[in-house]
C-alpha cells in the first residue's frame, strides 16, 4: 500500500529524512517509533504530499505521490491532482483540527459533501453511523468545545473515515490527550485495525504497537535504524540506539 524508495527531505540546510526505504502492506498496522526530531511525523506528512520530498520516490497503492514521471524526470502534480490523491488517504493529527463552529455531526459530514459531492441526506446518515462506530452516537449535536480531548479525537477519526480512505495515517494521535483519555482513542484504532484498515501510526504508545502492530520501524536522525515485528523489536532490540531509546520509554 505504501512504498518509499530512498526518500529524502530537507528544510533549508537541515536534512530531516536521509534516504528512507520501507514498505507497508495492505491491511497492515505499521508503527513508526523514535525520539522527537527523528523524522517520523515528517515522513508521515510526505505520504500524502503535505510535505514535498527532495529526492526518492513515494508510492501509495502503486501510484506515485505528488508527481508524475516522464522518462527520468519528475514533474509535480497540480494542486487539484494532489487533492484527488489525498481523497483516498485519511489523516488524524495530534491536534484535532475540528471546525469549532460546527457540531460533531457537521464536522464529519463536511468533506464528503464538499469534496465528493455527496448529498446532505447521505452524508448525514453516514456521519451518524460513523459517530456511533467511534462511540459518540449521543454527541452528534455537540460542538468541539463541549467535548473532551478524547472525544474530539474520535470525531477526527470519524471525519477521516467519512471519505472511505484506503489508508489511514495517525500522527501521534494520543500525545495531546490527558492519560485517562488515551484508552478510548486506542480502542477505536484497535477496532479499525481489526476491520482490516491499512494504518501507518506514529506513536509513543508501545503497548499499542506491541499488541496491535504488524510491523514496527524505529527511526532516529532521519534514518531507519531497526525494523521488524513489534514484539521482536520491543523485546529484543538489536541496535544499541534502539536499546537506549526503549530503556527510556518502556
Amino acid at each position: 500500500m505504501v512504498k518509499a524508495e530512498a526518500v529524502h527531505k530537507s528544510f533549508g540546510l537541515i536534512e530531516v529524512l536521509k534516504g528512507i526505504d520501507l514498505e507497508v502492506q495492505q491491511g497492515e498496522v505499521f508503527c513508526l517509533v523514535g525520539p522527537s526530531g527523528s523524522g517520523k511525523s515528517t515522513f508521515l506528512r510526505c505520504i500524502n504530499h503535505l510535505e514535498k520530498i527532495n529526492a526518492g520516490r513515494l508510492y501509495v497503492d502503486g501510484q506515485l505521490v505528488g508527481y508524475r514521471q516522464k522518462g527520468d524526470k519528475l514533474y509535480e502534480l497540480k494542486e487539484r491532482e494532489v487533492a484527488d490523491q489525498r481523497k483516498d488517504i485519511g489523516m488524524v493529527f495530534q491536534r484535532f483540527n475540528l471546525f469549532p463552529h460546527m457540531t460533531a455531526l457537521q464536522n464529519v459530514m463536511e468533506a464528503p459533501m464538499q469534496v465528493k459531492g455527496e448529498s446532505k441526506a447521505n452524508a448525514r446518515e453516514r456521519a451518524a453511523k460513523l459517530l456511533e462506530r467511534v462511540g459518540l452516537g449521543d454527541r452528534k449535536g455537540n460542538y468541539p468545545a463541549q467535548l473532551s480531548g478524547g472525544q474530539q479525537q474520535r470525531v477526527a477519526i470519524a471525519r477521516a473515515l467519512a471519505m472511505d480512505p484506503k489508508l489511514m495515517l495517525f500522527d501521534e494521535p494520543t500525545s495531546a490527550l490527558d492519560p485517562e483519555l488515551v484508552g478510548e482513542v486506542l480502542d477505536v484504532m484497535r477496532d479499525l485495525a481489526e476491520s482490516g484498515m491499512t494504518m501507518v501510526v506514529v506513536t509513543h504508545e508501545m503497548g499499542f504497537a506491541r499488541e496491535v502492530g504488524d510491523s514496527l520501524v524505529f527511526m532516529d536522525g532521519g534514518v531507519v535504524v531497526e525494523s521488524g515485528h513489534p514484539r521482536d523489536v520491543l523485546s529484543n532490540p538489536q541496535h544499541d540506539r534502539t536499546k537506549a531509546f526503549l530503556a527510556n520509554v518502556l
Side-chain angles (χ1 to χ4, degrees), residues 239-249:
H239 196 283
D240 287 345
R241 183 65 191 94
T242 318
K243 291 175 186 175
F245 173 76
L246 293 176
N248 286 325
V249 299

Side-chain angles (χ1 to χ4, degrees), residues 108-127:
V108 179
M109 290 169 60
E110 184 70 6
M113 290 194 305
Q114 295 296 333
V115 179
K116 287 190 165 181
E118 250 183 56
S119 71
K120 191 170 185 178
N122 268 6
R124 180 184 295 275
E125 184 180 342
R126 288 187 62 245

Side-chain angles (χ1 to χ4, degrees), residues 102-168:
M102 293 183 178
T103 64
L105 188 72
Q106 290 167 335
N107 264 282
V108 179
M109 290 169 60
E110 184 70 6
M113 290 194 305
Q114 295 296 333
V115 179
K116 287 190 165 181
E118 250 183 56
S119 71
K120 191 170 185 178
N122 268 6
R124 180 184 295 275
E125 184 180 342
R126 288 187 62 245
K129 286 179 180 172
L130 285 167
L131 288 171
E132 288 281 355
R133 181 177 178 182
V134 300
L136 292 172
D138 59 341
R139 301 285 185 178
K140 294 192 290 284
N142 287 57
Y143 289 90
Q146 299 169 315
L147 301 171
S148 72
Q151 290 169 333
Q152 289 186 62
Q153 193 62 294
R154 285 187 280 155
V155 173
I157 293 171
R159 179 180 61 179
L161 291 173
M163 292 294 287
D164 281 328
K166 54 190 172 188
L167 170 67
M168 283 283 283

Side-chain angles (χ1 to χ4, degrees), residues 55-102:
R57 303 281 190 278
L58 253 174
Y59 300 88
V60 170
D61 202 16
Q63 188 176 19
L64 194 59
V65 172
Y67 299 90
R68 75 165 55 84
Q69 186 163 344
K70 285 186 179 176
D72 292 336
K73 285 196 170 182
L74 289 183
Y75 298 89
E76 190 170 4
L77 298 178
K78 296 187 173 84
E79 185 55 41
R80 179 177 48 79
E81 297 170 299
V82 173
D84 203 48
Q85 288 186 335
R86 285 198 193 115
K87 285 193 297 193
D88 293 327
I89 305 172
M91 186 154 186
V92 178
F93 300 88
Q94 293 179 40
R95 298 287 168 182
F96 324 119
N97 294 347
L98 299 177
F99 295 117
H101 62 290
M102 293 183 178

